[in-house]
Amino acid sequence: MTGAWTGYVRAMEHFTIATVAEKSPDFRRVLWTGGHTQLVIMTIPPGGEIGEEVHEGIDQILTFVSGTGEARVAGETKEVVAGDLVVVPAGTKHNFVNTGPNPLVLYTVYGPPDHADGAVHRTKEEAEAAEAAGQDEPPTA
């Protein structure tokens, strides 16, 4: 994308976020993108994971809606369950793994945005392919 991105609206957006996240079968779905942050819901299948990664220059806050898993952040591992929140500062290696028998459902806020506005990736493999092809780039401000 070239030039300044002006696709975000300046009106209120309202989500019953836990309900919206629970209803999404997609690995990753971008719900809202602003000029400085982005709201994304994720569903990680049993035995699945986000994948170890580092976001340079992007902070991330993850809130867990249902399921059980492990947060692996900066070499430390903690169990996560519904209601937990994990902060991942920019530049920190992290991964989130579903350790339970049900989907691990969460929503996350990136600051600044990390994915293409409106992106929907049904599976982790689809998400990785889009990233590799350069089709999941955040809007430019």
Side-chain angles (χ1 to χ4, degrees):
M1 179 174 289
T2 18
W5 183 73
T6 59
Y8 61 93
V9 293
R10 299 191 188 275
M12 178 177 65
E13 293 282 340
H14 178 270
F15 300 98
T16 305
I17 193 66
T19 303
V20 172
E22 281 284 346
K23 288 182 179 179
S24 175
D26 302 312
F27 174 73
R28 179 169 52 223
R29 176 179 292 268
V30 175
L31 287 183
W32 180 84
T33 302
H36 304 283
T37 57
Q38 184 173 63
L39 175 62
V40 176
I41 54 177
M42 298 187 75
T43 300
I44 304 167
E49 63 182 86
I50 289 176
E52 189 170 85
E53 58 188 359
V54 174
H55 302 295
E56 296 296 341
I58 298 172
D59 292 322
Q60 188 175 6
I61 300 170
L62 303 96
T63 303
F64 295 85
V65 174
S66 65
T68 57
E70 285 182 352
R72 301 174 183 172
V73 180
E76 188 176 348
T77 300
K78 297 237 184 225
E79 180 183 11
V80 290
V81 297
D84 286 351
L85 182 144
V86 176
V87 174
V88 179
T92 304
K93 187 183 292 186
H94 61 281
N95 191 8
F96 295 87
V97 179
N98 184 341
T99 59
N102 299 311
L104 180 61
V105 179
L106 63 106
Y107 61 93
T108 183
V109 176
Y110 294 96
D114 189 48
H115 298 286
D117 185 41
V120 176
H121 302 119
R122 293 178 324 214
T123 65
K124 180 180 179 205
E125 294 74 24
E126 189 176 292
E128 288 172 342
E131 290 172 8
Q135 298 170 341
D136 189 34
E137 296 298 316
T140 55

